[in-house]
Amino acid sequence: AAGRPSGWQKLCGHIRDEVFYRMGFGDREIVALLCGGHVYGRCHRGSSGYAGAWVEHPTRFSNEYATDMLEDEWRLVGHEDTWLDDMGAAELRPAAGNRQYVNKC
């Protein structure tokens, strides 16, 4: 798919078929678990360079993460994308060698 880092298809299949389907979960249950986990979870600096909550209200169970994923515009950025620094969002720049999506501003 255009604009996506290569390899995501295999990861998606692995999570779906080899992890959750084996435990008897359906697609709706998988989405609820993954999105719910992101509402309460946080990104860790070692993974991407950013440390912080995934959503605005990380102490309230909601569909905020799923809504953000579907409705926001996203841009794939790398460590060299210094325009994030210029807008006061330097913490969103991924660690050197990594890429991640950020809300398109």
Side-chain angles (χ1 to χ4, degrees):
R4 292 188 175 149
S6 62
W8 68 270
Q9 301 92 336
K10 289 182 183 178
L11 178 60
C12 178
H14 170 75
I15 290 170
R16 189 180 205 192
D17 300 332
E18 297 177 32
V19 177
F20 287 107
Y21 279 2
R22 283 182 32 189
M23 293 187 285
F25 291 104
D27 288 342
R28 289 178 62 147
E29 295 160 319
I30 294 169
V31 170
L33 286 169
L34 291 176
C35 291
H38 280 88
V39 167
Y40 285 118
R42 13 185 354 96
C43 189
H44 300 281
R45 189 169 304 282
S47 303
S48 66
Y50 171 68
W54 290 101
V55 296
E56 187 176 350
H57 303 288
T59 58
R60 261 190 278 175
F61 189 78
S62 70
N63 69 345
E64 183 181 358
Y65 179 80
T67 301
D68 288 347
M69 294 296 105
L70 295 173
E71 294 180 357
D72 290 358
E73 286 190 56
W74 296 91
R75 175 186 281 180
L76 184 62
V77 298
H79 184 71
E80 65 283 352
D81 287 304
T82 56
W83 59 268
L84 290 163
D85 300 351
D86 299 337
M87 59 183 287
E91 73 277 3
L92 296 179
R93 275 179 53 206
N98 291 342
R99 295 187 310 162
Q100 70 185 28
Y101 284 96
V102 298
N103 288 63
K104 200 172 184 179
C105 301

